[in-house]
Amino acid sequence: MKLYLAIPVVLTALLISASGVAAVTRGWVLPMNRRHVRSPRLYGWGQLMAAFALCWQVVFGLAISDSGTRQWGTLTGGALLVAGFSVMLVGQLAGGHREESGTR
């Protein structure tokens, strides 16, 4: 992986992890996602997993030169990314009791 790809990926991972820490510690979710997220803390853990997976893939894409280790590392990072997105999805579908606004 080239450095011009690694820097934006790491910056994106930092932004995702900052949002995940806010969701885990305070229950705060970005305004565009508030309507969809039912369990903010679970959603935040999913964001942290996704950010870790992105950093994992950058490390194995840049630092590791052995092709076999690089392939298994990036495959593991992809699996962690899918797992993080799955946890985020569960945080959107199930969880806390929300008051519904509007008429029935």
Side-chain angles (χ1 to χ4, degrees):
M1 180 179 285
K2 302 294 182 191
L3 195 58
Y4 63 87
L5 292 174
I7 291 173
V9 171
V10 169
L11 290 176
T12 303
L14 285 173
L15 290 173
I16 292 171
S17 65
S19 178
V21 167
V24 169
T25 58
R26 303 280 185 204
W28 185 85
V29 180
L30 289 170
M32 63 185 147
N33 293 338
R34 284 186 191 150
R35 205 161 135 207
H36 305 289
V37 175
R38 296 189 183 270
S39 178
R41 286 180 172 72
L42 187 62
Y43 187 79
W45 282 111
Q47 286 180 319
L48 289 174
M49 284 178 65
F52 177 75
L54 287 174
C55 290
W56 181 279
Q57 287 187 342
V58 167
V59 165
F60 277 92
L62 279 177
I64 307 298
S65 61
D66 182 30
S67 65
T69 307
R70 176 183 278 182
Q71 289 175 353
W72 282 106
T74 54
L75 181 64
T76 304
L80 285 171
L81 191 61
V82 169
F85 287 153
S86 299
V87 172
M88 289 170 64
L89 179 66
V90 170
Q92 287 182 353
L93 296 178
H97 302 286
R98 292 187 51 158
E99 296 178 16
E100 294 190 24
S101 60
T103 59
R104 290 189 182 198

